[in-house]
Amino acid sequence: MAAVAELKAVLKDTLEKKGVLGHLKARIRAEVFNALDDDCEPRPSLSHENLLINELIREYLEFNKYKYTASVLTAESGQPVVPLDRQFLIRELHAFEESKDSAI
């Protein structure tokens, strides 16, 4: 019995170190959301403001390498799969970008 418990612990540790365990957990969560999502009930239309807010959140998630969380956000929110152009966001938000910020 101890050998099985040790094998489970080593396997879990190995999968965590490789990042596979996190990926699997995120994938399972995404599939659960997809299974629970009622396709018969239409989503409300995405307002211009919410589109911009969601895009900022997606950019944050992708910058921090939360790609699985970003994919769930995209699926649940109805956000376009292709991200909005960064320059478009800057113009729409009346923001400015310094040269040092463009690499971020």
Short mmCIF file of all heavy atoms in Angstrom, two decimals, residues 49-75:
data_model
loop_
_atom_site.label_atom_id
_atom_site.label_comp_id
_atom_site.label_asym_id
_atom_site.label_seq_id
_atom_site.Cartn_x
_atom_site.Cartn_y
_atom_site.Cartn_z
N GLU A 49 -18.20 48.60 -24.14
CA GLU A 49 -17.43 48.79 -22.92
C GLU A 49 -16.95 47.45 -22.36
O GLU A 49 -15.79 47.30 -21.97
CB GLU A 49 -18.26 49.52 -21.85
CG GLU A 49 -18.56 50.97 -22.18
CD GLU A 49 -19.72 51.15 -23.16
OE1 GLU A 49 -20.47 50.17 -23.43
OE2 GLU A 49 -19.87 52.27 -23.66
N ASN A 50 -17.84 46.46 -22.34
CA ASN A 50 -17.46 45.15 -21.83
C ASN A 50 -16.44 44.47 -22.74
O ASN A 50 -15.56 43.76 -22.25
CB ASN A 50 -18.67 44.25 -21.64
CG ASN A 50 -19.44 44.58 -20.39
OD1 ASN A 50 -18.96 45.32 -19.53
ND2 ASN A 50 -20.64 44.07 -20.28
N LEU A 51 -16.56 44.69 -24.03
CA LEU A 51 -15.57 44.16 -24.96
C LEU A 51 -14.18 44.68 -24.62
O LEU A 51 -13.21 43.93 -24.54
CB LEU A 51 -15.94 44.54 -26.40
CG LEU A 51 -14.94 44.12 -27.47
CD1 LEU A 51 -15.12 42.65 -27.81
CD2 LEU A 51 -15.11 44.96 -28.71
N LEU A 52 -14.07 45.99 -24.37
CA LEU A 52 -12.78 46.60 -24.03
C LEU A 52 -12.27 46.10 -22.68
O LEU A 52 -11.09 45.78 -22.53
CB LEU A 52 -12.89 48.12 -24.03
CG LEU A 52 -13.18 48.77 -25.37
CD1 LEU A 52 -13.38 50.27 -25.20
CD2 LEU A 52 -12.08 48.48 -26.38
N ILE A 53 -13.16 46.02 -21.70
CA ILE A 53 -12.76 45.54 -20.37
C ILE A 53 -12.27 44.10 -20.44
O ILE A 53 -11.21 43.75 -19.90
CB ILE A 53 -13.93 45.67 -19.37
CG1 ILE A 53 -14.24 47.14 -19.11
CG2 ILE A 53 -13.62 44.93 -18.07
CD1 ILE A 53 -15.54 47.38 -18.39
N ASN A 54 -13.03 43.26 -21.13
CA ASN A 54 -12.62 41.86 -21.28
C ASN A 54 -11.27 41.75 -22.00
O ASN A 54 -10.45 40.90 -21.67
CB ASN A 54 -13.67 41.06 -22.05
CG ASN A 54 -14.92 40.83 -21.24
OD1 ASN A 54 -14.96 41.01 -20.03
ND2 ASN A 54 -15.99 40.44 -21.92
N GLU A 55 -11.07 42.61 -22.97
CA GLU A 55 -9.81 42.57 -23.73
C GLU A 55 -8.63 42.97 -22.84
O GLU A 55 -7.56 42.37 -22.92
CB GLU A 55 -9.88 43.49 -24.95
CG GLU A 55 -8.78 43.25 -25.94
CD GLU A 55 -8.77 41.84 -26.50
OE1 GLU A 55 -9.85 41.24 -26.72
OE2 GLU A 55 -7.67 41.30 -26.72
N LEU A 56 -8.84 43.95 -21.97
CA LEU A 56 -7.78 44.33 -21.03
C LEU A 56 -7.48 43.18 -20.06
O LEU A 56 -6.31 42.91 -19.74
CB LEU A 56 -8.17 45.58 -20.25
CG LEU A 56 -8.21 46.88 -21.06
CD1 LEU A 56 -8.79 48.00 -20.22
CD2 LEU A 56 -6.82 47.24 -21.55
N ILE A 57 -8.53 42.53 -19.60
CA ILE A 57 -8.33 41.39 -18.70
C ILE A 57 -7.59 40.27 -19.43
O ILE A 57 -6.66 39.67 -18.88
CB ILE A 57 -9.69 40.90 -18.14
CG1 ILE A 57 -10.30 41.97 -17.25
CG2 ILE A 57 -9.52 39.58 -17.39
CD1 ILE A 57 -11.74 41.72 -16.86
N ARG A 58 -7.97 40.01 -20.68
CA ARG A 58 -7.30 38.96 -21.45
C ARG A 58 -5.83 39.31 -21.65
O ARG A 58 -4.96 38.45 -21.51
CB ARG A 58 -7.98 38.74 -22.80
CG ARG A 58 -7.20 37.74 -23.63
CD ARG A 58 -7.85 37.21 -24.86
NE ARG A 58 -8.49 38.14 -25.73
CZ ARG A 58 -9.21 37.77 -26.79
NH1 ARG A 58 -9.35 36.49 -27.08
NH2 ARG A 58 -9.78 38.67 -27.54
N GLU A 59 -5.53 40.56 -21.96
CA GLU A 59 -4.14 40.96 -22.15
C GLU A 59 -3.34 40.74 -20.86
O GLU A 59 -2.22 40.26 -20.89
CB GLU A 59 -4.06 42.43 -22.59
CG GLU A 59 -2.64 42.84 -22.94
CD GLU A 59 -2.58 44.19 -23.61
OE1 GLU A 59 -3.44 44.50 -24.45
OE2 GLU A 59 -1.64 44.93 -23.31
N TYR A 60 -3.94 41.10 -19.73
CA TYR A 60 -3.30 40.87 -18.43
C TYR A 60 -3.04 39.37 -18.22
O TYR A 60 -1.94 38.97 -17.82
CB TYR A 60 -4.18 41.42 -17.30
CG TYR A 60 -3.81 40.88 -15.95
CD1 TYR A 60 -2.73 41.41 -15.24
CD2 TYR A 60 -4.52 39.83 -15.38
CE1 TYR A 60 -2.38 40.90 -14.00
CE2 TYR A 60 -4.18 39.33 -14.15
CZ TYR A 60 -3.10 39.86 -13.46
OH TYR A 60 -2.75 39.34 -12.25
N LEU A 61 -4.05 38.55 -18.47
CA LEU A 61 -3.90 37.11 -18.26
C LEU A 61 -2.82 36.52 -19.16
O LEU A 61 -2.00 35.72 -18.71
CB LEU A 61 -5.24 36.40 -18.50
CG LEU A 61 -6.37 36.71 -17.52
CD1 LEU A 61 -7.69 36.11 -18.01
CD2 LEU A 61 -6.02 36.22 -16.13
N GLU A 62 -2.81 36.92 -20.41
CA GLU A 62 -1.81 36.39 -21.34
C GLU A 62 -0.41 36.89 -21.01
O GLU A 62 0.56 36.16 -21.14
CB GLU A 62 -2.21 36.70 -22.77
CG GLU A 62 -3.41 35.88 -23.20
CD GLU A 62 -3.88 36.15 -24.61
OE1 GLU A 62 -3.33 37.05 -25.28
OE2 GLU A 62 -4.81 35.46 -25.04
N PHE A 63 -0.30 38.15 -20.57
CA PHE A 63 1.00 38.69 -20.18
C PHE A 63 1.59 37.89 -19.02
O PHE A 63 2.79 37.62 -18.98
CB PHE A 63 0.87 40.17 -19.78
CG PHE A 63 2.15 40.74 -19.24
CD1 PHE A 63 3.16 41.13 -20.11
CD2 PHE A 63 2.35 40.88 -17.88
CE1 PHE A 63 4.35 41.65 -19.63
CE2 PHE A 63 3.54 41.41 -17.40
CZ PHE A 63 4.54 41.79 -18.26
N ASN A 64 0.73 37.47 -18.09
CA ASN A 64 1.17 36.71 -16.92
C ASN A 64 1.17 35.20 -17.16
O ASN A 64 1.31 34.43 -16.22
CB ASN A 64 0.31 37.07 -15.71
CG ASN A 64 0.66 38.44 -15.21
OD1 ASN A 64 1.75 38.65 -14.68
ND2 ASN A 64 -0.23 39.40 -15.40
N LYS A 65 0.99 34.81 -18.41
CA LYS A 65 1.03 33.40 -18.82
C LYS A 65 -0.10 32.57 -18.21
O LYS A 65 0.05 31.39 -17.96
CB LYS A 65 2.38 32.75 -18.48
CG LYS A 65 3.59 33.50 -18.94
CD LYS A 65 3.81 33.31 -20.42
CE LYS A 65 5.15 33.85 -20.86
NZ LYS A 65 5.12 35.17 -21.42
N TYR A 66 -1.27 33.21 -18.00
CA TYR A 66 -2.45 32.49 -17.53
C TYR A 66 -3.29 32.11 -18.75
O TYR A 66 -4.45 32.48 -18.86
CB TYR A 66 -3.28 33.35 -16.58
CG TYR A 66 -2.55 33.86 -15.35
CD1 TYR A 66 -2.81 35.12 -14.85
CD2 TYR A 66 -1.63 33.07 -14.69
CE1 TYR A 66 -2.15 35.59 -13.72
CE2 TYR A 66 -0.97 33.54 -13.56
CZ TYR A 66 -1.24 34.80 -13.07
OH TYR A 66 -0.61 35.26 -11.96
N LYS A 67 -2.68 31.37 -19.67
CA LYS A 67 -3.34 31.13 -20.96
C LYS A 67 -4.60 30.28 -20.84
O LYS A 67 -5.53 30.46 -21.60
CB LYS A 67 -2.36 30.53 -21.96
CG LYS A 67 -1.72 29.24 -21.54
CD LYS A 67 -0.68 28.81 -22.55
CE LYS A 67 0.05 27.57 -22.07
NZ LYS A 67 1.06 27.16 -22.99
N TYR A 68 -4.66 29.39 -19.87
CA TYR A 68 -5.86 28.57 -19.72
C TYR A 68 -7.01 29.40 -19.16
O TYR A 68 -8.15 29.26 -19.59
CB TYR A 68 -5.58 27.35 -18.85
CG TYR A 68 -4.36 26.59 -19.35
CD1 TYR A 68 -3.23 26.47 -18.58
CD2 TYR A 68 -4.35 26.05 -20.63
CE1 TYR A 68 -2.11 25.81 -19.05
CE2 TYR A 68 -3.23 25.39 -21.11
CZ TYR A 68 -2.11 25.27 -20.32
OH TYR A 68 -1.01 24.64 -20.80
N THR A 69 -6.70 30.27 -18.22
CA THR A 69 -7.71 31.17 -17.67
C THR A 69 -8.21 32.10 -18.77
O THR A 69 -9.41 32.36 -18.87
CB THR A 69 -7.13 31.98 -16.50
OG1 THR A 69 -6.58 31.07 -15.55
CG2 THR A 69 -8.20 32.84 -15.85
N ALA A 70 -7.29 32.58 -19.61
CA ALA A 70 -7.67 33.45 -20.72
C ALA A 70 -8.58 32.72 -21.70
O ALA A 70 -9.55 33.31 -22.21
CB ALA A 70 -6.43 33.98 -21.43
N SER A 71 -8.32 31.45 -21.93
CA SER A 71 -9.17 30.70 -22.87
C SER A 71 -10.57 30.49 -22.31
O SER A 71 -11.55 30.52 -23.05
CB SER A 71 -8.52 29.36 -23.24
OG SER A 71 -8.54 28.48 -22.15
N VAL A 72 -10.68 30.31 -20.99
CA VAL A 72 -12.00 30.18 -20.37
C VAL A 72 -12.74 31.52 -20.44
O VAL A 72 -13.92 31.57 -20.77
CB VAL A 72 -11.88 29.68 -18.90
CG1 VAL A 72 -13.23 29.75 -18.20
CG2 VAL A 72 -11.35 28.26 -18.87
N LEU A 73 -12.02 32.62 -20.18
CA LEU A 73 -12.63 33.95 -20.29
C LEU A 73 -13.17 34.17 -21.70
O LEU A 73 -14.31 34.62 -21.88
CB LEU A 73 -11.62 35.05 -19.95
CG LEU A 73 -12.08 36.47 -20.26
CD1 LEU A 73 -13.16 36.91 -19.27
CD2 LEU A 73 -10.92 37.44 -20.25
N THR A 74 -12.38 33.85 -22.69
CA THR A 74 -12.79 34.05 -24.09
C THR A 74 -14.04 33.22 -24.40
O THR A 74 -14.98 33.73 -25.00
CB THR A 74 -11.65 33.67 -25.04
OG1 THR A 74 -10.50 34.46 -24.72
CG2 THR A 74 -12.02 33.90 -26.48
N ALA A 75 -14.04 31.98 -23.96
CA ALA A 75 -15.19 31.10 -24.24
C ALA A 75 -16.45 31.56 -23.52
O ALA A 75 -17.53 31.60 -24.11
CB ALA A 75 -14.84 29.67 -23.83
#
